[in-house]
Amino acid sequence: MKSKSLKETIKSLEAKKISIKELNDEYIKNIKEKNNLNIFIHFDEQKIIDQVNKLEIDNSNKKLKGIPIAIKDLFCTKDMPTTAASKILENFNPTYESFVTQNLLDDGAVFVGKTNCDEFAMGSANNTSYFGNTINPLSNDDEPLAPGGSSGGSAAAVAADLCLGATGTDTGGSIRQPASFCGVVGIKPTYGLCSRWGITAFASSLDQAGVFTNNVEDASILLESISGFDSRDSTSANVNIPNYSKNLNSDISGKTVGIPNEYSIEGTPEEISQIWEDAIKYIESKGAKIKKISLPHTKYALPTYYIIAPAEASSNLARYDGVKYGFRADEINSLDEMYENTRGKGFGKEVKRRILIGTYVLSAGYYDAYYLKAQKVRKLIANDFNDAFKDCDFIVTPTAPSAAFPLSASQDDPIKMYLNDIFTVPASLAGLPGISIPFGKDKNNLPLGIQILGKHFDEQQVFNAAYCLEKSYE
Ligand code: GLN
């Protein structure tokens, strides 16, 4: 029998209680059975079998040998197409492997497929994907729920038991929010910990890779694999990657935990305030000191993010013009018409909205008033965290302002959708590591998430605090 724990499965494989083939056959079966959830953009059974056959005759020791992993379709993969869930990249086959996926392959992981996400990772419900919405596996029959976004397919893949771990990217909350919606663990490490090489760019000063798993220990194992310095990404940090899983320690006695006043937001459902309080009480009972802190510029985080992210996106997405690769519109009579029609037909509504906002805030005359101002506010937000971390070791907040909402409610109101990111975006702007772990349920029995934020490159502390909190319900 396969276990839902990546760590336990590694042990079973090593002890030869199960073979790599048996393990992956079970996952292939699950993936086919749950095809209706639309979790994968690319799934090719033969490619999984080929990877398994190679690993079965490989005698070297590899940390993740044979472990089925799902890859967000934003990571370039040599042997599988990479679409960023966009029509404009529908037939794109990268000629190179991203840093993150190469690391996983080097460690012996088996890629089971490429997961659905919001188009170019812009969204919070997976409803901007050109390939249709992923359905949250926790939905009941009459009410399909959103898996969250943008990495909704990856979170859903773990929750639906279609892999033992999945990669995601988080620009403003795209790992933490779907983790919370699907009831799994999701970590976004410090900006710079994992190279962005080979990740389809959305907002380069914010984009960060991370992972989804069923538990904290598994997340620590996978993060070790995907982290590291890479000279091909100029913002990659040259830091030592600790052995997070080996150093995992649930003892948080003597630590100081910051609870930010500004995260008590009017209109937050009672159940979310309740799980937050429960988490704080549990942490206190484990010997940590609770400290009320203030992050005074929090209220500016969302507007700041929705200036900076679209600004960078408008620049990054300029490359999709129908000239070199990807979709090209037909029926064109001039170069300008080719650009216009290719981009007009190739991008979805939300991506176009971001390009328009971004172009506007970067335009002469508005640059100072919007983009430059947003950069200054971003610095103030980062300073708030730096000040707070002088007096505390980590910060605890809710992950998202709601549980998974119905797909039918993943509406056309972009502002309402942007509000999903209210608790995740501040740490993104500050480049801090954050994890979401399932903690408690709402009145419909849907999972809610608690977010733990740490100092730059203090993923170990974030893992340890999450490991402690996880023990309250294990
Ligand atoms: N929901 C946010 C957005 O649409 C965050 C997306 C992300 O982190 N990739 O921008």
Side-chain angles (χ1 to χ4, degrees):
M1 247 328 272
K2 71 185 164 60
S3 152
K4 275 193 163 192
S5 146
L6 186 150
K7 167 91 183 288
E8 292 306 317
T9 306
I10 293 175
K11 279 195 200 154
S12 300
L13 286 168
E14 280 169 1
K16 302 217 179 336
K17 286 191 190 142
I18 187 169
S19 73
I20 294 176
K21 180 167 174 352
E22 282 161 350
L23 176 71
N24 283 279
D25 280 351
E26 283 196 56
Y27 279 96
I28 291 172
K29 188 166 150 270
N30 280 5
I31 292 173
K32 286 178 166 169
E33 272 171 18
K34 297 195 179 146
N35 190 28
N36 62 317
L37 299 176
N38 199 23
I39 287 175
F40 288 96
I41 291 176
H42 178 81
F43 166 72
D44 179 340
E45 186 174 345
Q46 191 54 46
K47 279 187 193 157
I48 304 178
I49 296 170
D50 292 347
Q51 294 175 71
V52 166
N53 287 344
K54 266 194 207 144
L55 288 165
E56 287 277 16
I57 51 167
D58 175 350
N59 289 324
S60 63
N61 279 332
K62 293 191 163 104
K63 274 195 309 213
L64 300 172
K65 195 163 169 185
I67 297 292
I69 299 288
I71 305 295
K72 182 178 185 180
D73 206 16
L74 214 66
F75 291 84
C76 285
T77 42
K78 239 199 243 171
D79 295 329
M80 295 178 185
T82 299
T83 68
S86 181
K87 177 181 168 73
I88 215 156
L89 285 176
E90 191 175 2
N91 299 314
F92 177 51
N93 286 296
T95 53
Y96 58 97
E97 195 68 40
S98 80
F99 175 87
V100 163
T101 49
Q102 186 62 56
N103 278 9
L104 289 168
L105 290 174
D106 291 347
D107 282 338
V110 172
F111 291 170
V112 292
K114 304 291 293 287
T115 59
N116 207 345
C117 55
D118 281 294
E119 188 181 2
F120 284 100
M122 299 174 192
S124 303
N126 223 157
N127 60 342
T128 71
S129 168
Y130 173 64
F131 301 95
N133 215 125
T134 290
I135 295 172
N136 189 324
L138 307 175
S139 312
N140 59 35
D141 289 344
D142 44 74
E143 186 74 289
L145 301 172
S150 63
S151 316
S154 285
V158 173
D161 202 17
L162 310 187
C163 57
L164 280 165
T167 65
T169 62
D170 189 313
T171 303
S174 275
I175 290 178
R176 292 159 287 162
Q177 185 253 20
S180 171
F181 275 27
C182 293
V184 298
V185 171
I187 179 159
K188 172 205 103 77
T190 309
Y191 180 78
L193 192 81
C194 309
S195 166
R196 287 179 293 110
W197 169 260
I199 299 177
T200 313
F202 164 13
S204 308
S205 77
L206 294 154
D207 296 344
Q208 173 61 50
V211 293
F212 295 93
T213 52
N214 286 304
N215 61 54
V216 174
E217 187 174 24
D218 288 355
S220 71
I221 294 171
L222 273 193
L223 190 66
E224 276 158 29
S225 174
I226 67 164
S227 306
F229 175 67
D230 174 19
S231 59
R232 295 166 301 179
D233 169 4
S234 61
T235 58
S236 167
N238 200 348
V239 292
N240 266 338
I241 309 299
N243 192 331
Y244 302 121
S245 52
K246 190 163 159 241
N247 300 336
L248 210 52
N249 183 350
S250 62
D251 182 5
I252 54 160
S253 55
K255 300 285 180 197
T256 304
V257 189
I259 310 298
N261 295 328
E262 292 78 6
Y263 282 57
S264 301
I265 291 168
E266 223 187 270
T268 304
E270 176 52 36
E271 297 139 314
I272 303 225
S273 312
Q274 188 60 50
I275 58 137
W276 193 16
E277 222 175 285
D278 293 347
I280 295 167
K281 275 200 198 121
Y282 182 79
I283 287 169
E284 197 171 19
S285 77
K286 293 288 144 191
K289 266 204 318 271
I290 305 298
K291 187 175 167 48
K292 293 256 178 230
I293 56 166
S294 176
L295 301 167
H297 297 92
T298 299
K299 61 174 175 292
Y300 303 116
L302 216 49
T304 302
Y305 172 84
Y306 277 99
I307 290 173
I308 292 175
E312 294 184 17
S314 72
S315 160
N316 273 327
L317 270 59
R319 74 191 70 173
Y320 305 107
D321 55 9
V323 175
K324 295 185 212 70
Y325 57 98
F327 167 77
R328 177 187 294 174
D330 36 10
E331 292 168 27
I332 40 180
N333 301 309
S334 67
L335 185 63
D336 281 350
E337 220 175 278
M338 182 186 77
Y339 292 149
E340 280 165 20
N341 291 352
T342 296
R343 291 167 67 78
K345 291 190 177 135
F347 290 133
K349 207 163 118 190
E350 183 61 26
V351 172
K352 284 184 200 158
R353 181 182 289 123
R354 308 268 179 130
I355 293 174
L356 287 174
I357 295 172
T359 307
Y360 179 80
V361 300
L362 288 175
S363 60
Y366 293 107
Y367 184 93
D368 289 3
Y370 291 105
Y371 184 68
L372 208 61
K373 188 66 145 273
Q375 292 288 23
K376 289 179 183 166
V377 180
R378 179 179 189 174
K379 180 73 184 143
L380 295 176
I381 291 166
N383 288 348
D384 283 354
F385 279 108
N386 289 341
D387 289 345
F389 277 127
K390 283 182 192 144
D391 299 320
C392 62
D393 299 292
F394 57 93
I395 292 174
V396 172
T397 78
T399 305
S402 74
F405 43 76
L407 278 179
S408 55
S410 42
Q411 21 11 50
D412 265 344
D413 177 355
I415 307 273
K416 212 164 158 196
M417 199 53 84
Y418 299 166
L419 282 170
N420 269 284
D421 308 323
I422 195 144
F423 298 135
T424 48
V425 145
S428 303
L429 289 166
L432 299 168
I435 197 168
S436 176
I437 68 160
F439 194 82
K441 301 262 166 93
D442 78 346
K443 57 179 181 308
N444 299 320
N445 212 28
L446 291 173
L448 298 168
I450 283 289
Q451 173 178 238
I452 298 165
L453 303 175
K455 300 173 187 174
H456 287 120
F457 301 107
D458 199 5
E459 278 73 14
Q460 189 68 57
Q461 178 64 74
V462 170
F463 278 131
N464 288 355
Y467 196 45
C468 169
L469 199 54
E470 184 179 54
K471 293 204 180 300
S472 68
Y473 55 79
E474 263 195 332

